[in-house]
Amino acid sequence: MRHANTVGAVLALVLTGSLAACGEQPAEGEAANTPAAEEPAAAEPAPAPVSVTAGWQEYTFDDLKLAKRFPAEPVRAEGTYWEWPHTDREPEVVMEGPATTLTASAGNIDYVVTVAPRPERMNMGASMMGECAYLTEESGVEQRNLSAEIDNGNRTVYGHQVTVDLHDMSGRMTNGCYYENGNFYIFSATVRPENANPDAPEAVEFATSGRFIDG
């Protein structure tokens, strides 16, 4: 009797191994030796970019259809858009006409917004931005030439961002060029040589941020 029980036990082990090899599940009450599959780790969301100008004050200019953050209250001046700074070229697409500038400085960085109302040239908006990028390139030694986008809440506004080391050695200039609501805009930040970081993030963010006001 003891021999028969031993043979039965051996047969049971062989049968269980054969079932497992065939991919069949063991009968109820038998132990499953297959380890549980591990759940894939959930991907963590990428951290939101930190705004280096978040502490600046936003100033609203309804007549310019623009709200913009500055490190200090900007000085407003009215004039004529006709000659491109740092070159002897006159813009041919935007053309000579009225323009407003908003200027402020902080931390050896000069911030300038130029607004040239050109509602009669809406069909030339893309060419205006292209001319702005081209003339910026001519102002110095090109470092970056990228597309730019501004989240305007209900839509995205696209433009050009160009960075150059100015020919006159007065610093590294980053220009953001946009056309929106009938206005041609240049958001310009020049990091002077006295600043230890020519790629100061404040300058790049200034050139690629703002809020365009509909109307």
Side-chain angles (χ1 to χ4, degrees):
M1 180 66 71
R2 180 176 301 173
H3 176 74
N5 289 341
T6 302
V7 172
V10 171
L11 290 175
L13 289 174
V14 172
L15 180 59
T16 301
S18 299
L19 290 174
C22 294
E24 298 184 24
Q25 299 296 322
E28 185 178 354
E30 295 178 349
N33 296 323
T34 304
E38 295 184 1
E39 292 290 335
E44 296 184 1
V50 178
S51 170
V52 293
T53 66
W56 295 6
Q57 182 175 342
E58 182 182 79
Y59 296 85
T60 301
F61 307 91
D62 290 323
D63 60 323
L64 304 178
K65 301 178 182 179
L66 178 68
K68 193 84 170 75
R69 290 199 298 266
F70 284 88
E73 183 174 1
V75 176
R76 177 169 178 159
E78 308 297 333
T80 301
Y81 183 90
W82 66 278
E83 186 178 37
W84 188 263
H86 307 289
T87 74
D88 56 0
R89 294 283 299 273
E90 295 182 10
E92 299 174 357
V93 181
V94 178
M95 301 181 65
E96 181 177 347
T100 300
T101 57
L102 309 167
T103 62
S105 297
N108 291 313
I109 304 176
D110 300 321
Y111 303 95
V112 182
V113 170
T114 301
V115 185
R118 298 294 186 271
E120 75 284 357
R121 299 182 65 78
M122 285 188 177
N123 62 328
M124 300 296 289
S127 293
M128 290 184 196
M129 292 186 292
E131 179 181 64
C132 176
Y134 175 76
L135 292 176
T136 302
E137 293 170 8
E138 286 204 335
S139 301
V141 178
E142 182 180 316
Q143 302 298 314
R144 289 184 295 273
N145 192 330
L146 308 168
S147 60
E149 61 179 78
I150 293 178
D151 182 0
N152 207 49
N154 61 335
R155 69 188 183 283
T156 300
V157 177
Y158 293 95
H160 289 284
Q161 173 198 343
V162 182
T163 300
V164 297
D165 284 339
L166 295 169
H167 288 312
D168 61 5
M169 308 298 289
S170 60
R172 179 167 292 182
M173 179 176 69
T174 299
N175 283 348
C177 313
Y178 309 91
Y179 185 85
E180 183 69 10
N181 293 330
N183 289 336
F184 171 62
Y185 299 89
I186 305 175
F187 300 162
S188 181
T190 300
V191 182
R192 298 197 297 268
E194 294 81 5
N195 189 302
N197 182 10
D199 286 320
E202 298 91 337
V204 175
E205 186 170 335
F206 183 84
T208 56
S209 64
R211 183 166 57 87
F212 300 103
I213 300 172
D214 296 331

